[in-house]
Every structure is written in C-alpha cells, then in structure tokens.
Amino acid sequence: MICLFGGTFDPVHVGHVHAARSVCDALGLAEIRLVLSARPGHRGETGASVADRWVMLELACAEDPRLIPDAIEVRRAQALGRPSYTVETLQEVRRAAPAEVLAWVVGSDAYREIPTWYRWQDLFELANLVVLHRPGAPLDLPDELAALTEARRVSGPPEQPAGGVLILDLPMLPVSATAIRRALAEGDPSVADLLSPAVYTYIKRYHLYGVVSDP
Ligand code: ATP
C-alpha cells in the first residue's frame, strides 16, 4: 500500500507525528509519506516558507524511520508555477503505480471540508480515504459527503486500489498548528511540548512565527 498524509505542516507538530505513526501501526505499514503542500501559510497569519516547512518536516520525520517526507507537491508546484491540487498529486502517484492500493489520510476537520476541494469526487476514484477522528472535529458531514461515505465505507485496511473510506477511531492528540503559531508569537514556552525538539530548535534559530528570542 502507498499511504500519503498531506498537510501544510505550518509547522509540523506532535499531533501529525502521532497520527502518522498510529496509521502505520493500525494498517501494518512499513512507511507513510508526509506530503508537504506548497500552499502558502494561512491568510492573515504568520506562516513559514515552503523551504522552512520542508526542513521542519524532514526534522520531525527523522524521529521514526517509517515517516518519509515527500516533496511531490512542492515539485509539481514549482513546475506548474501554482500550487498543485491534491487530485493532481494523486493522479501522478497513480500513473506511477497503476494497480497499487493507494490511501490518502486526512483528519476529520479536513475530511468535512473535502467537498470544497478541486474535483473532490475524483479523489475517491484515485485513492482510498483514511479518516482520523480529530479531537474537537466531529464527523458531522454535509449530506452528499455523508451518503458517499456510507456507500464506500470499509471496516479494515483497504484492499482495493481506490474507492474505500476507512474511518479510524484511534486516539489523536488535541494539537493544532494554528494554536502553536499563536503560542509561539506570544512567547508561550509550553509550546515546546507540542513540537519535536529539533523542530522547536529550528524555529527558534531562524525566528519563525514571530519568535524574537530564546525563551
Ligand atoms: P491548522 O491549525 O493551521 O489548520 P493543522 O494542525 O490542522 O493546521 P495541517 O497541516 O493543516 O495541520 O494538517 C494536515 C493534516 O493533518 C490534516 O488532514 C489534518 O486534519 C491532520 N491533522 C492535523 N493535526 C492533527 C492531529 N492533532 N491529529 C490528527 N490529525 C491531525
């Protein structure tokens, strides 16, 4: 199985690392690829550059050999001159592995929003969706997505190349990048517990997210 976990990772945090490792454990995977989105940081907030987010993702992934940082979307964005849509990324992966079981992992907050994604229905033709219950983000789905989810739902690791939806009810950490960016900008030292030590050191060294001095 090729398992991809996409995100802005602005910054990558212990919630992401825990989620990726939990998926590996639950599905018996030797690896999961963390796909960095080339999207700029969230509008109206201080975000890190793609280059910095990539270094932080590499640092966090170094904690577990099963976690593989993947620059496929960043490369596509550079080639296209615009951010790459998830559906295009999955098409590229699918072209390289036509018969492989392909899984795209999302948190429940992101899954709820999937109907806003470009060509969202095609995602289900290209991959299986693995949905993680994120604390504070119940799966209250819009009607069309709820119906599609029920129709495609599987109860164990996907076996078909694409088309299944697996909802994994594993304990997740109540951590978000938005809260971390805010805490960093305010100089809250407890934020260190929410980041890999090497990522926290990098943020301080390069004064990312409004970090002005060592706490
Ligand atoms: P932000 O707060 O800026 O939206 P985020 O913490 O949600 O950021 P993203 O990079 O947007 O981080 O998330 C990438 C993917 O990881 C999404 O599918 C999201 O649902 C999932 N995710 C993020 N945090 C967690 C968490 N604590 N547990 C499980 N999944 C998570």
Side-chain angles (χ1 to χ4, degrees), residues 5-10 13 15-16 19 42 105-110 132 134 172-173 175-178 181:
F5 182 30
T8 316
F9 301 124
D10 190 20
H13 53 66
H16 296 127
H42 294 62
V105 178
V106 284
S108 45
D109 58 312
L132 303 172
R134 200 172 160 185
M172 291 291 132
L173 302 177
V175 181
S176 85
T178 304
R181 288 193 299 275

Side-chain angles (χ1 to χ4, degrees), residues 12-37:
V12 62
H13 53 66
V14 294
H16 296 127
V17 171
H18 174 78
R21 300 172 83 164
S22 302
V23 171
C24 285
D25 291 342
L27 302 184
L29 303 177
E31 68 169 51
I32 182 167
R33 300 189 204 163
L34 282 80
V35 178
L36 180 65
S37 162

Side-chain angles (χ1 to χ4, degrees), residues 134-211:
R134 200 172 160 185
L139 267 181
D140 46 358
L141 304 177
D143 289 349
E144 193 182 359
L145 181 59
L148 182 149
T149 302
E150 270 326 297
R152 294 181 173 278
R153 193 149 172 189
V154 295
S155 54
E159 290 172 359
Q160 303 298 320
V165 177
L166 175 64
I167 299 173
L168 278 181
D169 223 345
L170 305 170
M172 291 291 132
L173 302 177
V175 181
S176 85
T178 304
I180 288 175
R181 288 193 299 275
R182 198 176 304 129
L184 285 167
E186 290 168 358
D188 178 352
S190 67
V191 78
D193 296 339
L194 308 179
L195 297 159
S196 304
V199 171
Y200 188 47
T201 301
Y202 185 86
I203 287 171
K204 285 193 295 182
R205 178 171 303 148
Y206 294 102
H207 307 294
L208 306 183
Y209 306 109
V211 173

